[in-house]
Amino acid sequence: MQTIDINGKSLNELCAICHSIAVEKGFWDQERNIGEALMLIVTELAEAMEAHRIQDQENFKEEIADSFIRLMDLCGGMKIDIEAEIEKKANKNKNRPYKHGKIC
């Protein structure tokens, strides 16, 4: 069984790893349907919610990991520099008002 060591890898490196595995397994043989890829991410999160609902902690963690893997694959396939995008968005969020000005 082959294993992958992700220790010390950047987010962009992880995206490249996840994308290369998806390519190797045939998920990018044709032009990727981005809407479908996004819904698969949503599906993984729904599976995590179901695991949380029934208090299956091991499955919950696996489904969260699946969500990240699908997101990273998509970023790798679309050549998104996710580190730069997260930094931009985190700085934007840091400068927003408390609860983004919402009362709820």
Side-chain angles (χ1 to χ4, degrees), residues 64-80:
I64 292 294
D66 282 342
S67 301
F68 274 93
I69 288 167
R70 287 198 180 272
L71 276 168
M72 289 182 198
D73 167 37
L74 185 59
C75 290
M78 295 183 72
K79 310 242 184 297
I80 295 171

Side-chain angles (χ1 to χ4, degrees), residues 85-99:
E85 295 303 322
I86 290 172
E87 182 177 19
K88 267 193 320 195
K89 185 61 177 176
N91 283 316
K92 184 176 183 178
N93 288 345
K94 180 70 175 163
N95 292 303
R96 286 184 166 173
Y98 184 77
K99 291 192 177 180

Side-chain angles (χ1 to χ4, degrees), residues 44-64:
E44 298 297 352
L45 290 169
E47 290 172 354
M49 180 61 218
E50 178 60 15
H52 175 70
R53 188 185 71 75
I54 64 172
Q55 299 180 343
D56 183 346
Q57 188 65 16
E58 286 306 306
N59 188 243
F60 174 77
K61 291 186 286 188
E62 183 175 320
E63 299 303 341
I64 292 294

Side-chain angles (χ1 to χ4, degrees), residues 2-15:
Q2 295 178 333
T3 59
I4 298 167
D5 180 13
I6 65 165
N7 290 319
K9 302 280 192 287
S10 71
L11 287 175
N12 287 333
E13 289 170 327
L14 292 173
C15 289

Side-chain angles (χ1 to χ4, degrees), residues 20-29:
S20 70
I21 293 168
V23 167
E24 175 186 320
K25 300 302 178 185
F27 291 100
W28 289 79
D29 283 352

